[in-house]
Amino acid sequence: MTIPLTREDCAARDAADPLAPFRDEFVLPDGVIYLDGNSLGALPRATPARVARLVEHEWGQRLIASWNEAGWWDKPRTLGALLAPLLGAEADEVVVGDGTSVNLFKTVAAALWLRPDRRVVVAEAGNFPTDGYIAQGVVDLVDGASLRMVDVDDPAALAAALEPGDVAVVLLSHVDYRTGILRDMAAVTEMVHAHGALVVWDVCHSVGAVPLALAQTGVDFAVGCTYKYLNAGPGAPAFTYVARRHHERVRQPISGWHGHARPFDFAPEYEPAAGASRFLSGSQSLIAAAALEASLELWQRVDLAQVREKSLALTDLFVAVTAEAGLECVTPAEHERRGSQVALRHPDGYPIVQALIARGVVGDFRSPDILRFGFAPLYLRYVDVYDAARALVEVVTSGEWQDPRFAQRAQVT
Amino acid sequence: MTIPLTREDCAARDAADPLAPFRDEFVLPDGVIYLDGNSLGALPRATPARVARLVEHEWGQRLIASWNEAGWWDKPRTLGALLAPLLGAEADEVVVGDGTSVNLFKTVAAALWLRPDRRVVVAEAGNFPTDGYIAQGVVDLVDGASLRMVDVDDPAALAAALEPGDVAVVLLSHVDYRTGILRDMAAVTEMVHAHGALVVWDVCHSVGAVPLALAQTGVDFAVGCTYKYLNAGPGAPAFTYVARRHHERVRQPISGWHGHARPFDFAPEYEPAAGASRFLSGSQSLIAAAALEASLELWQRVDLAQVREKSLALTDLFVAVTAEAGLECVTPAEHERRGSQVALRHPDGYPIVQALIARGVVGDFRSPDILRFGFAPLYLRYVDVYDAARALVEVVTSGEWQDPRFAQRAQVT
């Protein structure tokens, strides 16, 4: 399809967009074009009532009875089952709970136990920092383990890191949080397996934006969050995917009672539950779970192939229209190497992003020089993306970002 | 004070109760006497609006701007500061985030790093199972570490466990989840320290019910939840207390980016933040945080000495009135050894509890034979406790619990 380059072209594309009706299912603030759904997804209209029902009825009126009658105990599994189709997984391969950092810890440690003769963890240089920090935490705790950082976008470097045959597990992101580069999950997983190692994929920046086929691709473990493209709210719970072939032998060290085979026996010995359930630890916020459930019910009706097609069209459009601003585009032009975001580079990226926000176009800045824009196809129109791109061109070419107020750094950037 | 043994005595006691006004600040279902606030605390009336504001305004309208303008990034610290007075701690010694199980993992691992020449973890036999399971998970991951289980209510047994001088850390609960026994935190901490070990106290069953003086008592670490006596909602976030004297040297292995000294530098190397903040890992649910904030604001106005006095009076009353039922009372008669719950023993505890619930008196059952009743002084009246105790006597003496429907086990007990 050709890239629409006038606002009229964009309006025509919106009129024909099969995903267009979803926009009405989200709360979107007036006067804002929100290109940060890759950081915190917009609020689904159904969520407030669902959260209120949990708080006022299930908690307030029914109290502990809700553990049984509202299915609280099984929420990590029933939410996992709702997530599974978005991951290309079976229901019992996914559990919801804890955060991304904690789940990365569990899966990397689990992989080290599955490969007791290998003590090296390969992690991605330049990944979102928590991934490397967590890998470091695991190897510091496990005797003889060590960390090897590698540029995973260089196949020769990855092959060289795997070559010694001492690698237990490779931890990397499906989509780079800064550049938006999409990795070839199938090829990397195959290469890692060919060297006898396991792989943990961080899919925070792809779930809900890129169709995933974790089971078919042979992925061992995957971890991701639900507050970006999945619209489950700030700090919403993360999930863990555990391939069925590991279910019998795998164990993880944060072995809390929710991961026990018979938790209400209160037995002194830990005996892991079947399937991915053994990756659970303790109680999770049911209020947060209610918000996630509301968003996942919406996502059950979404065709991810349509999402991917529109995502690529929106990023194509944004790149084409912003070209006039003359910023370097870091995100690959090739569709098969692009997630659902566009990263542009400018040494004054921070004030430019602030000036754009002052115009109602919300993107974000990633140190040292990346202007980052995320594209959530369920609630963004082609005309929104066109208007946002034009605004960026105007902000850059007018020099309005040079106003000193845009240089003042906030705590969270 | 004498124990009120008639309903009129109880009504008089309620009329003079300084905590009585707090009852109106909670939602309490009609026709229910709720003696399970030690499992899931009742809903504060202020909470639904606070949660709705977070969802609809901070998330829905302000989106990522709330990370700065609503103080989202610092919530684990600002909530920790609100909790600190309830723990007898300074504001920078407490952070909120993750669950009890995960925080036990962090603190036990941290203690092993602080005592590198010692590899034994002493854990409490009979503790709430997750504590022992987590301790097992840590020692399984750490080379040379091992677990020693001990009856902590037997001072000679604890002394014998510490005697070899190989103990890095002792993990135990302040109040036993089944029996309601309150441990002498000062004496145990002193004994542990005298043997060169550190202590992690699980205060899930005492925070909000028993005044704590963690700093003054010299406690090294404490972990607890906020969904019991603190009324923050099902699965609400847990907290971690880290004594200031450890702040410089301590580290923990789930070293995520929220525990970094400068998280928005996105630096490749992990550098721990100052104080208890280094015990943070990743993003936490802000919706859950809003509910906790609402309850903690209420708790700022509570005098814990009054709570403790009323708690002891209510448990005295319940024990005295239920004596007629002839069940063995497992909870100590001595005030200084009693938490805020009463445990009675009966081989048919499960159907008796169910029959009581059918009458609107909610307690719970803990395998194999414990009927457990918790007393939350902020919303329980003396007359409620009297009526509940009389109902128990009637259920037991009438034999109405023998109705087969009460024997059907639910998933969650």
Side-chain angles (χ1 to χ4, degrees):
Chain A
M1 234 187 285
T2 55
I3 299 173
L5 287 175
T6 69
R7 200 171 194 284
E8 292 64 37
D9 292 341
C10 290
R13 197 65 76 81
D14 284 321
D17 176 12
L19 295 175
F22 281 106
R23 181 174 164 88
D24 282 343
E25 299 197 36
F26 291 90
V27 173
L28 297 166
D30 292 338
V32 169
I33 299 176
Y34 189 62
L35 303 185
D36 222 343
N38 55 319
S39 176
L40 171 62
L43 169 65
R45 285 196 189 282
T47 299
R50 177 66 62 91
V51 169
R53 189 179 82 193
L54 184 295
V55 171
E56 296 178 41
H57 178 73
E58 295 182 20
W59 172 17
Q61 292 298 319
R62 301 301 302 154
L63 290 157
I64 56 156
S66 289
W67 280 104
N68 287 302
E69 68 189 27
W72 282 359
W73 184 262
D74 283 325
K75 244 0 135 181
R77 283 169 285 273
T78 52
L79 292 171
L82 286 174
L83 261 168
L86 300 170
L87 302 176
E90 297 295 322
D92 68 343
E93 293 178 306
V94 186
V95 286
V96 165
D98 295 316
T100 302
S101 296
V102 169
N103 292 339
L104 290 174
F105 187 93
K106 292 179 186 180
T107 50
V108 171
L112 279 168
W113 267 335
L114 284 173
R115 290 287 182 274
D117 53 328
R118 293 157 167 252
R119 297 288 85 183
V120 174
V121 175
V122 167
E124 176 191 344
N127 198 353
F128 186 76
T130 216
D131 296 66
Y133 301 160
I134 291 289
Q136 185 67 54
V138 176
V139 303
D140 285 352
L141 199 61
V142 174
D143 192 55
S146 65
L147 193 57
R148 189 175 293 157
M149 303 301 285
V150 64
D151 175 359
V152 299
D153 291 315
D154 176 353
L158 181 57
L162 290 161
E163 202 50 52
D166 55 1
V167 177
V169 57
V170 176
L171 165 62
L172 78 170
S173 279
H174 192 202
V175 172
D176 184 285
Y177 79 106
R178 275 187 296 209
T179 61
I181 293 175
L182 173 69
R183 278 70 185 247
D184 185 337
M185 185 180 275
V188 172
T189 299
E190 191 182 341
M191 182 196 283
V192 170
H193 285 173
H195 288 83
L198 301 168
V199 66
V200 177
W201 282 98
D202 178 337
V203 296
C204 283
H205 285 275
S206 55
V207 63
V210 179
L212 296 169
L214 298 180
Q216 195 188 324
T217 314
V219 167
D220 300 292
F221 302 99
V223 170
C225 74
T226 62
Y227 48 77
K228 296 178 184 292
Y229 295 104
L230 294 182
N231 312 99
F239 58 85
T240 304
Y241 164 83
V242 184
R244 175 166 293 108
R245 67 182 176 284
H246 296 307
H247 285 190
E248 285 291 319
R249 287 203 308 132
V250 72
R251 42 196 296 251
Q252 60 86 13
I254 311 180
S255 41
W257 72 302
H258 280 248
H260 195 281
R262 290 175 311 282
F264 290 95
D265 281 5
F266 296 95
E269 294 293 320
Y270 181 74
E271 183 189 328
S277 287
R278 64 183 59 179
F279 277 72
L280 299 175
S281 300
S283 296
Q284 300 294 310
S285 168
L286 275 306
I287 312 182
L292 175 55
E293 194 166 59
S295 70
L296 288 179
E297 286 176 4
L298 182 162
W299 275 95
Q300 302 303 300
R301 292 180 277 116
V302 174
D303 179 339
L304 275 172
Q306 290 178 348
V307 166
R308 177 64 174 157
E309 185 182 350
K310 183 175 175 187
S311 158
L312 290 169
L314 294 177
T315 48
D316 277 344
L317 168 62
F318 190 78
V319 169
V321 176
T322 57
E324 191 179 329
L327 278 61
E328 178 192 355
C329 182
V330 179
T331 304
E334 314 94 283
H335 282 178
E336 65 276 15
R337 293 189 60 228
R338 188 195 302 166
S340 196
Q341 66 188 67
V342 171
L344 304 175
R345 179 171 281 157
H346 191 287
D348 292 301
Y350 186 82
I352 293 173
V353 166
Q354 300 312 308
L356 206 51
I357 290 173
R359 280 177 174 247
V361 175
V362 178
D364 63 25
F365 170 77
R366 282 293 172 258
S367 190
D369 58 1
I370 298 288
L371 297 82
R372 191 176 70 152
F373 303 96
F375 297 83
L378 293 194
Y379 48 85
L380 275 181
R381 296 172 300 200
Y382 289 85
V383 293
D384 297 326
V385 173
Y386 180 86
D387 292 344
R390 287 302 316 163
L392 177 60
V393 170
E394 288 164 22
V395 162
V396 172
T397 55
S398 71
E400 71 187 58
W401 58 269
Q402 292 165 353
D403 186 313
R405 72 189 161 114
F406 296 132
Q408 287 165 24
R409 293 284 177 119
Q411 178 187 24
V412 178
T413 60
Chain B
M1 234 186 290
T2 55
I3 299 172
L5 287 173
T6 69
R7 201 171 193 281
E8 292 65 38
D9 293 340
C10 289
R13 197 64 77 79
D14 284 320
D17 176 11
L19 295 175
F22 281 106
R23 181 176 166 87
D24 282 343
E25 299 197 37
F26 291 91
V27 173
L28 297 166
D30 291 337
V32 169
I33 299 175
Y34 189 61
L35 302 184
D36 222 344
N38 55 319
S39 176
L40 172 62
L43 169 65
R45 285 196 190 282
T47 299
R50 178 65 62 92
V51 169
R53 190 179 81 194
L54 183 297
V55 171
E56 296 178 41
H57 178 72
E58 295 182 20
W59 171 18
Q61 292 298 320
R62 302 301 301 154
L63 291 156
I64 57 156
S66 289
W67 281 104
N68 286 302
E69 68 187 27
W72 282 359
W73 183 262
D74 283 326
K75 244 0 136 182
R77 283 169 286 272
T78 53
L79 293 172
L82 287 175
L83 261 168
L86 301 171
L87 302 175
E90 297 297 321
D92 69 341
E93 294 178 306
V94 186
V95 286
V96 165
D98 295 317
T100 303
S101 295
V102 168
N103 292 339
L104 291 174
F105 187 93
K106 292 179 186 179
T107 50
V108 171
L112 279 167
W113 267 335
L114 284 173
R115 289 287 180 275
D117 53 328
R118 293 157 167 251
R119 298 287 86 183
V120 173
V121 175
V122 166
E124 177 192 343
N127 198 353
F128 186 76
T130 216
D131 296 64
Y133 301 161
I134 291 290
Q136 184 68 54
V138 176
V139 303
D140 285 352
L141 199 61
V142 174
D143 193 54
S146 65
L147 192 58
R148 188 174 294 158
M149 304 299 287
V150 63
D151 175 0
V152 299
D153 292 315
D154 176 353
L158 181 56
L162 290 162
E163 202 49 52
D166 54 2
V167 176
V169 57
V170 176
L171 164 62
L172 78 170
S173 280
H174 193 202
V175 172
D176 184 284
Y177 79 106
R178 276 187 296 209
T179 62
I181 293 174
L182 173 69
R183 279 71 186 247
D184 185 337
M185 186 180 274
V188 171
T189 298
E190 192 183 339
M191 183 196 281
V192 170
H193 286 173
H195 288 85
L198 301 168
V199 67
V200 177
W201 282 98
D202 178 337
V203 296
C204 284
H205 285 275
S206 55
V207 63
V210 178
L212 296 169
L214 298 180
Q216 195 187 325
T217 314
V219 167
D220 300 290
F221 303 99
V223 171
C225 74
T226 62
Y227 49 75
K228 297 178 182 291
Y229 295 104
L230 294 182
N231 313 99
F239 58 85
T240 304
Y241 164 82
V242 184
R244 173 167 294 108
R245 67 182 175 284
H246 296 307
H247 285 190
E248 285 291 318
R249 287 204 308 131
V250 73
R251 44 195 298 249
Q252 59 87 13
I254 312 181
S255 41
W257 73 302
H258 280 249
H260 196 281
R262 291 176 310 283
F264 291 96
D265 282 3
F266 296 96
E269 293 292 321
Y270 181 75
E271 183 188 328
S277 287
R278 62 183 60 179
F279 277 74
L280 299 175
S281 300
S283 296
Q284 299 294 310
S285 168
L286 275 305
I287 312 181
L292 174 56
E293 194 166 58
S295 71
L296 288 179
E297 285 176 6
L298 183 162
W299 275 95
Q300 302 302 300
R301 294 180 275 117
V302 174
D303 179 340
L304 275 172
Q306 290 178 347
V307 166
R308 177 65 173 157
E309 185 182 350
K310 184 175 174 186
S311 158
L312 290 169
L314 294 177
T315 49
D316 276 345
L317 168 62
F318 190 78
V319 170
V321 177
T322 57
E324 191 180 328
L327 277 61
E328 179 192 354
C329 181
V330 179
T331 304
E334 313 95 282
H335 283 179
E336 65 276 14
R337 293 189 60 228
R338 188 196 301 165
S340 197
Q341 66 187 68
V342 172
L344 304 175
R345 179 170 281 155
H346 192 288
D348 293 300
Y350 187 82
I352 293 173
V353 166
Q354 299 313 307
L356 206 51
I357 291 173
R359 279 177 174 246
V361 176
V362 177
D364 63 24
F365 170 76
R366 282 294 171 259
S367 192
D369 58 2
I370 298 287
L371 298 83
R372 192 176 71 154
F373 303 96
F375 298 83
L378 293 195
Y379 48 85
L380 276 181
R381 297 172 299 201
Y382 289 85
V383 292
D384 297 325
V385 173
Y386 180 86
D387 291 345
R390 287 303 314 163
L392 176 61
V393 170
E394 287 165 23
V395 162
V396 172
T397 56
S398 71
E400 73 190 56
W401 58 269
Q402 292 166 352
D403 186 316
R405 73 191 160 113
F406 296 131
Q408 288 166 24
R409 293 283 178 119
Q411 179 188 22
V412 179
T413 60

